[in-house]
Every structure is written in structure tokens, then in C-alpha cells.
Amino acid sequence: MRLRVEFTTEPFDLDEAPAHALVAREVVHAADLDAVDVGPFGNTAEGGADAVLGAVDALLRKTLAAGATRISLQVNVLGEGE
């Protein structure tokens, strides 16, 4: 099964990326994912279920430890060809 996760971490800082945002980027780039898109207002990552779920676990734990006060995420099951 393939999954796509979309997530944001807060609080936002438009002047400088906060520590929790930098940690989130590190987590998704280090994971064994097929596609990662990191942006200022939202991030997406795709891959096999185990890789995505493992990345989500690490993302939640590490960004909270780095000061995130809110993490919004959505996980979608991808159909064939997506």
C-alpha cells in the first residue's frame, strides 16, 4: 500500500524557519520515501505504508520535542498510478 502524508507544524515564523520546521524537514528527507515536497506552508511525502508511518511517528515525536505546539496532518491511501 502507498500513502501520502501532508503536514504542517506550528507556530509559524515567516522571518526564519523555527527549529521544529527544520527538524520536520530532516525527518522526511532522512526517511525512505519516494517523494518529498517541503514548502513554507505545507509539506507532502509519499511512499510505502511502513516508510510513511515510520516517518509520521518520528515527525510527531521529534517536532514536539523541538518546540512544535501544533502538528496538522492528513494521510491518504494512494490508488494505482498515483
Side-chain angles (χ1 to χ4, degrees), residues 5-49:
V5 61
E6 301 174 44
F7 67 92
T8 58
T9 61
E10 296 178 40
F12 294 115
D13 183 341
L14 296 177
D15 295 326
E16 183 177 337
H20 59 80
L22 298 176
V23 167
R25 290 179 194 164
E26 291 172 10
V27 167
V28 294
H29 283 296
D32 186 23
L33 300 168
D34 301 331
V36 173
D37 182 24
V38 175
F41 299 109
N43 310 285
T44 61
E46 296 179 14

Side-chain angles (χ1 to χ4, degrees), residues 37-65:
D37 182 24
V38 175
F41 299 109
N43 310 285
T44 61
E46 296 179 14
D50 288 340
V52 171
L53 295 174
V56 167
D57 178 62
L59 175 80
L60 293 171
R61 294 175 188 278
K62 292 181 178 184
T63 58
L64 288 169

Side-chain angles (χ1 to χ4, degrees), residues 58-80:
L59 175 80
L60 293 171
R61 294 175 188 278
K62 292 181 178 184
T63 58
L64 288 169
T69 57
R70 179 179 177 154
I71 303 161
S72 301
L73 64 91
Q74 177 175 318
V75 178
N76 294 304
V77 176
L78 299 177
E80 292 215 15

